Amino acid sequence: MKFYSKLVIVLIALIGLQGCGEEFLDLSDPNAVSAVTFLKTETDVELAVNGIYSAIRSNSALGEGSALYSDERSDDMGRNDNQSNAGEPFQFNDFSLLPSNTYLKSYWSALYTSISRANYVLNNMEDVNYTNESLKSSHMAEAKFLRALTYYHLVRKWGQVPVITEQIDTPDQLAELTYRETEENVYALIVADLQAAIASTLPNIQPLSGKGRVSKVAAYALLGEVYLTMGSNNIPGQDPSAYFNLSRQNLTEAYSLRSFGDLKDISYASVFDVDQKSTNPELIFQIVYRQSDPNLSSTIARNNQALGETINSQRPSTGAGTRVNLDLVNEYEQNDPRKEFSVKFAPAPTVQQWFITKYRDVSDAAGVNGWGGNNHIMMRFADVILLLAEVNMQLGNDAEAIGFLNQVRERAGLPLYEKAMQDPAYSSEFPTLKLAILHERRVELAFEQKRWYDLLRAFTKEELVDYFQSKNQSEYGQANLQNISTKDRYYPIPFDEYQLDPERMYQNPGYN
């Protein structure tokens, strides 16, 4: 039965939809109905789809606390503590990640739990008699989008991974299907799932009652980013220029569906305002949390806050908060308001470091327990706009790329790109349009779990090593920049997965 430790096989944990907004977070008894006989009605499918949302919400999957697997791998943030929890979290930022790391295994398992829930829905919903075919189409689209999103995280971090689309019921079936597929085939499934979501009856933009659920604009935006990644990473199948054109097409479709005029009409701070999380038009897709609920609330504001500070939460902090690398702090341009909003220096003698202030909830509803109402923003229009800048740059459309870049700079009140390039400090640090866009994404989307993936698109594995090793160690904390090597482009396959089938679950280079 050891095979069950490979790709966790789970019964669906049901999440009940009680009406609108955050209500679909309400937990139902997962043992109330047998998974074997569960999907009989439209409501059954709705509950099972909600179970997928619940799975990605886990901090071991894609929830707000999953920055360990992305932002802490990048140059934006990390930790100096190399002792707690056997020093395993420290390994991500230190580029000393071991296949035996238990956090790595938990991440892998949580992502495949999300996939198994999506597969359960997609493999069993066809026999359900729907009175509303539009609802059926939406349910299928949600499951496929969430499966695609999860595989997209897997393939970028591990490369070749098992592609499971069937409901798995036995160890023998699991053993047969568990082998590493080519990146090309993983991406093919991702693209097919997102194309299906786009062709569905999903609303272009979710109404207030559907916040936290998938929309058509989210599918267009994600597919556009996927094609951009495929082109940047030379995934076989088409020439990079073909992928870039497909990316531009889908990102443009997403951008055209916005419900506002200019980005500058939406303040940066309002995007992260807990009182506007259901109404702010810049938001595309987010994982929802419920303010004041001890089980379903957000903890990101209180967890980020440093000792002696009150900017994030009414809950007094006893620790150092989440450390921000000086490398990021020093990259903000002079008078960039995003710096003041996003980071702060904590002068307490036991802290003496910068911490994250981007996520705040000091309301009485969150209270002294810090049961916040922040949602985990996974996609927003500033991201889409900067992706459009990036893909147009890749296609040689520099004027268009600069136009999109300037939309974000204009909202921040910074000089437009053409003028900024006349400043020796700016042009010296960001001498190319590529580096200027990478910079803008860094400061605009800081701590939104984008940076590591941006670096993987921007650089080859050799360039990535040079990029990190050229940085100032004193601006990076205790993690050793010199540890990085070309192997760190990918994560190691978790040891248990590799050990159970070394031939078909072969280890990534450099981790044996």
Side-chain angles (χ1 to χ4, degrees):
M1 301 299 285
K2 286 184 179 180
F3 284 108
Y4 280 103
S5 70
K6 294 173 79 178
L7 302 177
V8 178
I9 306 303
V10 295
L11 296 179
I12 297 299
L14 307 182
I15 305 299
L17 180 64
Q18 301 298 323
C20 65
E22 298 168 3
E23 294 303 316
F24 76 91
L25 291 176
D26 286 331
L27 294 175
S28 298
D29 179 3
N31 299 311
V33 185
S34 167
V36 177
T37 60
F38 175 57
L39 298 187
K40 292 182 178 180
T41 69
E42 298 172 11
T43 301
D44 293 341
V45 180
E46 182 97 12
L47 294 171
V49 170
N50 290 340
I52 314 171
Y53 286 103
S54 175
I56 70 165
R57 189 176 180 275
S58 166
N59 287 335
S60 292
L62 304 179
E64 65 176 14
S66 62
L68 173 65
Y69 310 109
S70 52
D71 280 343
E72 290 197 44
R73 185 67 162 180
S74 76
D75 48 357
D76 280 357
M77 56 184 276
R79 62 187 72 204
N80 289 331
D81 181 4
N82 60 4
Q83 300 297 318
S84 297
N85 303 106
E88 288 190 321
F90 182 76
Q91 292 177 12
F92 286 86
N93 198 216
D94 188 55
F95 299 107
S96 55
L97 188 58
L98 299 174
S100 59
N101 188 292
T102 58
Y103 288 80
L104 182 76
K105 179 180 177 179
S106 294
Y107 185 47
W108 172 280
S109 297
L111 293 176
Y112 273 104
T113 293
S114 302
I115 289 168
S116 72
R117 293 188 182 191
N119 289 341
Y120 177 77
V121 171
L122 294 169
N123 280 264
N124 290 280
M125 66 177 294
E126 282 295 339
D127 294 332
V128 175
N129 291 321
Y130 275 79
T131 59
N132 184 341
E133 288 299 315
S134 177
L135 180 61
K136 180 178 182 179
S137 175
S138 291
H139 282 160
M140 186 173 294
E142 287 179 275
K144 288 192 172 185
F145 176 95
L146 295 171
R147 183 171 69 178
L149 176 66
T150 307
Y151 269 119
Y152 187 42
H153 282 266
L154 279 161
V155 73
R156 287 179 294 173
K157 287 195 171 85
W158 277 281
Q160 299 177 357
V161 295
V163 173
I164 310 293
T165 59
E166 300 178 24
Q167 178 185 333
I168 298 177
D169 300 311
T170 68
D172 288 343
Q173 185 184 13
L174 180 61
E176 179 184 352
L177 295 173
T178 303
Y179 59 90
R180 298 184 69 181
E181 268 283 8
T182 65
E183 290 184 63
E184 181 181 2
N185 287 345
V186 180
Y187 276 107
L189 175 64
I190 294 169
V191 168
D193 277 353
L194 292 175
Q195 288 175 335
I198 288 169
S200 73
T201 59
L202 283 173
N204 287 340
I205 297 176
Q206 284 285 358
L208 180 61
S209 62
K211 290 303 177 183
R213 307 193 79 92
V214 176
S215 66
K216 197 163 287 188
V217 67
Y220 274 122
L222 185 57
L223 183 56
E225 184 185 334
V226 167
Y227 279 132
L228 176 57
T229 300
M230 294 175 77
S232 300
N233 293 343
N234 294 302
I235 301 300
Q238 299 192 57
D239 291 332
S241 61
Y243 286 132
F244 292 143
N245 276 303
L246 288 167
S247 170
R248 182 173 181 266
Q249 174 186 330
N250 283 278
L251 290 169
T252 300
E253 288 286 351
Y255 180 65
S256 70
L257 292 175
R258 70 193 187 283
S259 61
F260 58 92
D262 297 323
L263 188 67
K264 64 182 179 181
D265 297 331
I266 305 170
S267 74
Y268 185 76
S270 73
V271 176
F272 308 96
D273 185 344
V274 293
D275 292 329
Q276 298 186 45
K277 66 179 186 177
S278 295
T279 58
N280 193 294
E282 186 175 334
L283 303 177
I284 294 175
F285 182 61
Q286 53 190 329
I287 296 177
V288 299
Y289 293 82
R290 180 185 291 155
Q291 191 179 58
S292 77
D293 188 312
N295 298 311
L296 302 173
S297 60
S298 166
T299 60
I300 194 168
R302 78 185 198 203
N303 288 349
N304 283 335
Q305 187 162 267
L307 179 69
E309 302 295 327
T310 58
I311 190 171
N312 288 0
S313 172
Q314 289 187 28
R315 180 176 180 174
S317 176
T318 58
T322 302
R323 183 183 61 77
V324 178
N325 288 340
L326 269 175
D327 183 73
L328 167 60
V329 174
N330 292 337
E331 189 166 315
Y332 283 99
E333 296 167 58
Q334 187 175 7
N335 300 320
D336 188 339
R338 294 170 296 190
K339 176 182 179 181
E340 183 178 355
F341 186 81
S342 300
V343 297
K344 186 176 186 292
F345 183 77
T350 56
V351 182
Q352 294 286 302
Q353 68 183 29
W354 293 80
F355 69 101
I356 300 171
T357 60
K358 193 170 189 175
Y359 306 103
R360 312 173 184 182
D361 190 347
V362 295
S363 68
D364 289 337
V368 295
N369 291 311
W371 293 335
N374 304 89
N375 283 352
H376 177 36
I377 300 169
M378 301 195 74
M379 303 170 71
R380 58 186 177 97
F381 275 102
D383 183 11
V384 171
I385 289 167
L386 289 172
L387 289 173
L388 277 165
E390 184 177 334
V391 74
N392 275 290
M393 178 272 298
Q394 291 281 16
L395 288 167
N397 303 327
D398 286 3
E400 287 187 57
I402 292 168
F404 285 114
L405 174 62
N406 280 339
Q407 285 192 45
V408 178
R409 293 186 61 81
E410 183 179 23
R411 175 169 71 175
L414 296 174
L416 300 186
Y417 175 73
E418 299 88 341
K419 185 175 181 180
M421 285 299 286
Q422 297 174 18
D423 178 352
Y426 182 93
S427 60
S428 174
E429 190 167 3
F430 315 113
T432 65
L433 181 56
K434 173 183 174 177
L435 291 176
I437 294 170
L438 189 64
H439 156 69
E440 205 64 41
R441 286 188 61 82
R442 187 182 195 187
V443 295
E444 172 71 24
L445 303 167
F447 320 120
E448 296 179 45
Q449 303 190 22
K450 304 289 183 179
R451 177 64 173 175
W452 178 243
Y453 295 131
D454 289 348
L455 294 174
L456 295 184
R457 286 197 311 276
F459 302 122
T460 66
K461 59 185 180 181
E462 292 80 12
E463 291 170 341
L464 190 67
V465 171
D466 292 341
Y467 176 79
F468 271 91
Q469 292 188 345
S470 68
K471 290 178 176 290
N472 188 337
Q473 179 66 57
S474 66
E475 297 181 349
Y476 198 73
Q478 295 300 316
N480 189 351
L481 288 169
Q482 297 306 308
N483 284 343
I484 191 172
S485 67
T486 54
K487 74 174 176 57
D488 294 300
R489 165 60 181 82
Y490 293 111
Y491 284 175
I493 297 296
F495 179 74
D496 289 349
E497 309 296 327
Y498 162 76
Q499 186 182 40
L500 287 168
D501 194 343
E503 183 175 346
R504 298 199 304 166
M505 290 298 294
Y506 45 87
Q507 189 55 270
N508 277 328
Y511 291 107
N512 286 320

